Amino acid sequence: MKVSRGVRLLKLLPNVRNSSSGPTKPLKIINSKHFEEISIPVPWGHIAGKWYGPKHVRPIVGMHGWQDNAGTFDTLAPLLPSHLSFLSIDAPGHGLSSWLPAGTSYHSIDLVLITRRLMDEYNWDKISILAHSMSSINGFVFSALFPDKVDLFVGLDVLKPPVRSSRSIVDALGERIESTLKLERRLRSGSEPPAYDWDQLVTRLHEGSNKSVSLDACKYLLQRNCRPSTHEPHKYYFSRDNRLKSSLFYTLHQEVPMEMARRIKCPHLFIKALQAPYYERKEYFDEVLAELQKNPLFEFHEVEGTHHVHLNEPEKVAPIINNFINKYRPL
């Protein structure tokens, strides 16, 4: 298999076993589990991913949150059931996946189409989804649009497409269109993004996530989210597509996710992190949760932790996820 440029660049980054998140504190690394870097063709390039386990076993597909990457499951993957494979993918513009072509915009629903493309590429009749944040939203949407194609869905921390006020939607859409044009001009200039030393990069990611990603866990995301500077030795820049910052989003009335909830029929597990926000008025969350609980195959759990608890403290969610997976995809 041809090694992508992104995979070659990984080898130029600091070894996570020897990196530090501060002047003195060494970074620990969780027990490793073998995986293979893969590249899945799409019309504009490729989707990159990390495939754990045998290729002849249909995997559980891991999908990450906005501006994260396949590394979000690096600590959880070794704890998942060993009888199944696991495929953690980079969404377009994230990690080692191709960026969307110039002149196009990112939208949250891109992940729904990517999911269908994956099924077509591997000739799967069904898909098993483990998704965090933005991708948990899209796993919810996909499971509603294609209820017969999902055999289990695990959503982490964000239940559904958030409902926003009309004023905030209109304001944000205008701002994001302007931001898109500004970012396109910057990309056309060919200038390299700002570069930082490794410890600064860790701090910026930690603080940029509102300290949701622990300092110790930042390395798992940075391994697929930075590149060495070409003109500042020993410094690195964030390599995801900056146009992601102006991604377009769902603008749905509450009745739409309610209708989606009614259509989800697969085994469905949702885990909410108690130190994370709801990203909308809680009454909207509660209403859809109540609708989902009419599905006898739905499970709801709460755990202590931040929005990235699955990455920071995977031992808090792994037993819940494994019990669910073993129930519906047993050995």
Side-chain angles (χ1 to χ4, degrees):
M1 178 181 293
K2 184 178 179 181
V3 178
S4 72
R5 179 171 179 264
V7 174
R8 294 196 301 272
L9 283 166
L10 280 179
K11 299 177 181 178
L12 301 177
L13 300 177
N15 187 314
V16 294
R17 288 172 170 80
N18 299 322
S19 303
S20 66
S21 58
T24 58
K25 182 182 177 183
L27 289 178
K28 298 176 294 184
I29 188 162
I30 199 160
N31 292 335
S32 61
K33 184 177 182 180
H34 176 73
F35 66 87
E36 179 184 348
E37 290 282 353
I38 66 164
S39 181
I40 303 158
V42 290
W44 63 92
H46 72 277
I47 294 295
K50 304 173 73 169
W51 189 301
Y52 300 79
K55 289 292 189 65
H56 67 275
V57 177
R58 179 170 60 84
I60 293 173
V61 178
M63 294 186 284
H64 61 79
W66 181 58
Q67 298 199 82
D68 291 344
N69 55 64
T72 198
F73 295 113
D74 277 9
T75 59
L76 181 59
L79 307 180
L80 295 176
S82 59
H83 68 280
L84 291 176
S85 297
F86 180 63
L87 170 61
S88 183
I89 65 168
D90 293 323
H94 299 74
L96 307 183
S97 287
S98 299
W99 294 9
L100 291 185
T104 61
S105 296
Y106 292 91
H107 192 293
S108 185
I109 205 169
D110 294 342
L111 270 295
V112 175
L113 184 53
I114 288 295
T115 306
R116 280 294 291 117
R117 291 188 190 279
L118 273 177
M119 295 184 71
D120 282 355
E121 175 68 20
Y122 289 106
N123 295 312
W124 296 333
D125 294 325
K126 300 277 187 178
I127 190 167
S128 304
I129 299 172
L130 169 57
H132 173 240
S133 193
M134 169 189 73
S135 288
S136 183
I137 292 171
N138 286 295
F140 175 95
V141 173
F142 187 92
S143 298
L145 298 183
F146 305 104
D148 296 329
K149 295 185 183 298
V150 185
D151 61 4
L152 67 82
F153 167 42
V154 179
L156 301 175
D157 202 49
V158 184
L159 181 66
K160 66 179 193 66
V163 171
R164 301 171 172 87
S165 71
S166 299
R167 179 182 295 275
S168 67
I169 289 172
V170 174
D171 289 346
L173 285 174
E175 291 167 2
R176 294 203 174 196
I177 288 171
E178 288 297 325
S179 176
T180 295
L181 295 175
K182 180 180 178 180
L183 290 167
E184 284 182 352
R185 288 192 292 271
R186 185 180 301 170
L187 288 173
R188 284 198 301 270
S189 74
S191 60
E192 187 177 277
Y196 310 95
D197 66 35
W198 184 259
D199 290 339
Q200 289 175 320
L201 208 66
V202 168
T203 299
R204 291 187 72 87
L205 178 59
H206 171 64
E207 294 182 350
S209 70
N210 292 318
K211 301 183 178 179
S212 171
V213 182
S214 71
L215 286 168
D216 190 58
C218 286
K219 60 182 177 288
Y220 297 108
L221 297 176
L222 287 174
Q223 285 292 300
R224 304 176 79 82
N225 187 23
C226 67
R227 292 181 178 174
S229 172
T230 57
H231 58 268
E232 295 189 66
H234 311 299
K235 290 193 174 184
Y236 311 86
Y237 62 89
F238 290 105
S239 57
R240 62 193 169 219
D241 190 342
N242 273 333
R243 292 177 296 165
L244 292 167
K245 296 175 181 177
S246 60
S247 297
L248 301 175
F249 51 88
Y250 292 107
T251 54
L252 306 177
H253 185 273
Q254 174 70 350
E255 183 51 36
V256 178
M258 284 292 290
E259 178 61 26
M260 289 178 173
R262 296 182 193 107
R263 296 191 184 199
I264 296 175
K265 304 302 179 187
C266 67
H268 181 186
L269 167 65
F270 178 70
I271 301 175
K272 182 75 184 83
L274 290 173
Q275 278 69 59
Y278 285 88
Y279 304 100
E280 63 180 342
R281 284 162 49 183
K282 190 171 180 296
E283 63 200 68
Y284 294 140
F285 174 96
D286 289 340
E287 187 179 20
V288 170
L289 179 64
E291 186 63 39
L292 289 170
Q293 287 173 327
K294 296 177 183 178
N295 174 4
L297 304 180
F298 178 75
E299 295 183 22
F300 174 56
H301 295 264
E302 296 175 315
V303 297
E304 295 291 335
T306 71
H307 182 55
H308 287 81
V309 63
H310 69 286
L311 173 61
N312 300 331
E313 304 170 282
E315 68 280 358
K316 289 186 175 180
V317 300
I320 301 169
I321 294 171
N322 290 349
N323 286 340
F324 180 79
I325 290 173
N326 288 330
K327 185 187 300 185
Y328 296 107
R329 287 194 63 182
L331 180 63

